[in-house]
Amino acid sequence: MARIAGSSGPRTEEAIRRAGLNLIATHGYAAMSLRQLAAEVGIQQGSLYNYFRNKQEFLFDLIRGHMLDLHAALDAALLAEGSGEERLTRFTEFHVAYHVERPQEVFICYSELRSLEPDNLAAVVAMRRDYERKLGDILDHGCATGEFRLADTRMATLAILAMLSGICTWYKPGGRLSTTALQEIFTGMVLALARGGEPAAAAVAPRRRGALRAGAA
């Protein structure tokens, strides 16, 4: 990659982040070298240290930045008031759209937790638990009002997040399902789980089991 003309400051930092995300998502954190990262951006390896002290700090900054963005976007999307069903619908729609739009960040946030040093891992785990708590609060509220029937809202929280977050591992943009279609399908499944009933009929026509590849052409 050619060197960025007049590269400096925020512009170079953003280029480093984009290149790092792509390299880690493609090759993994352990396989990515700082020399490789610098070459991808078009700067000297030593220039990287103007932006972070070492490779571990770079990974932590990527994951922490993702979690901060995730929390801020969720807080902006959630309803301050409303029924449990309305708030759970808003949460599900947000989570699906965010994970479709930012698959690399989401993938790295899950796959590279193992690569974080203990203090960094503890900080990220705390942020993940805060995110889980926001969904748990919605489920608790719905149970308290009688809208939801859940024997264990903690288990339901983890099950819902596992189902929704898995989207980034198989969804392919440009396939037969749009983001809106995904939101409708997953909202139906999540509400059915919360209500303790059967899911509503999917808006997308069913296909044979072997032929169903959501997001695929």
Side-chain angles (χ1 to χ4, degrees):
M1 179 176 179
R3 180 179 177 85
I4 301 172
S7 60
S8 64
R11 183 163 175 249
T12 302
E13 182 174 4
E14 180 58 26
I16 292 170
R17 291 177 63 86
R18 288 198 307 269
L21 276 172
N22 185 59
L23 288 171
I24 295 174
T26 302
H27 304 291
Y29 170 77
M32 185 200 76
S33 69
L34 295 184
R35 177 177 295 179
Q36 184 182 23
L37 175 58
E40 185 71 14
V41 179
I43 61 176
Q44 296 296 317
Q45 182 176 337
S47 298
L48 293 175
Y49 301 111
N50 293 324
Y51 303 95
F52 53 88
R53 290 176 297 178
N54 51 49
K55 185 178 169 182
Q56 172 66 201
E57 183 177 87
F58 178 65
L59 176 65
F60 176 59
D61 181 66
L62 286 179
I63 295 179
R64 180 177 178 274
H66 160 74
M67 291 302 301
L68 289 172
D69 289 348
L70 179 66
H71 276 280
L74 176 62
D75 290 343
L78 283 181
L79 297 172
E81 298 179 352
S83 68
E85 180 172 320
E86 290 170 338
R87 296 172 70 192
L88 184 55
T89 295
R90 184 65 66 89
F91 178 93
T92 304
E93 290 175 345
F94 162 80
H95 194 91
V96 168
Y98 190 95
H99 282 58
V100 166
E101 293 166 2
R102 302 181 66 171
Q104 286 188 330
E105 292 96 324
V106 173
F107 176 75
I108 290 171
C109 192
Y110 283 92
S111 66
E112 296 298 347
L113 285 180
R114 61 189 177 183
S115 300
L116 290 173
E117 294 176 352
D119 288 347
N120 292 338
L121 176 61
V124 172
V125 168
M127 298 176 78
R128 286 164 60 97
R129 287 177 177 164
D130 284 343
Y131 189 83
E132 293 168 2
R133 177 183 52 77
K134 292 174 183 179
L135 173 56
D137 288 346
I138 293 172
L139 298 179
D140 285 338
H141 174 76
C143 287
T145 61
E147 294 177 78
F148 302 152
R149 291 180 293 175
L150 294 166
D152 190 322
T153 55
R154 175 60 179 165
M155 290 282 288
T157 296
L158 297 178
I160 289 170
L161 288 175
M163 176 173 65
L164 298 181
S165 299
I167 291 172
C168 69
T169 66
W170 52 258
Y171 180 74
K172 298 295 187 296
R176 69 180 183 85
L177 293 181
S178 65
T179 299
T180 299
L182 284 177
Q183 289 173 316
E184 292 175 353
I185 292 169
F186 277 98
T187 295
M189 291 191 289
V190 168
L191 289 176
L193 185 155
R195 295 171 183 147
E198 294 297 325
V204 179
R207 295 187 177 186
R208 291 180 295 105
R209 181 182 180 88
L212 181 60
R213 294 185 61 196

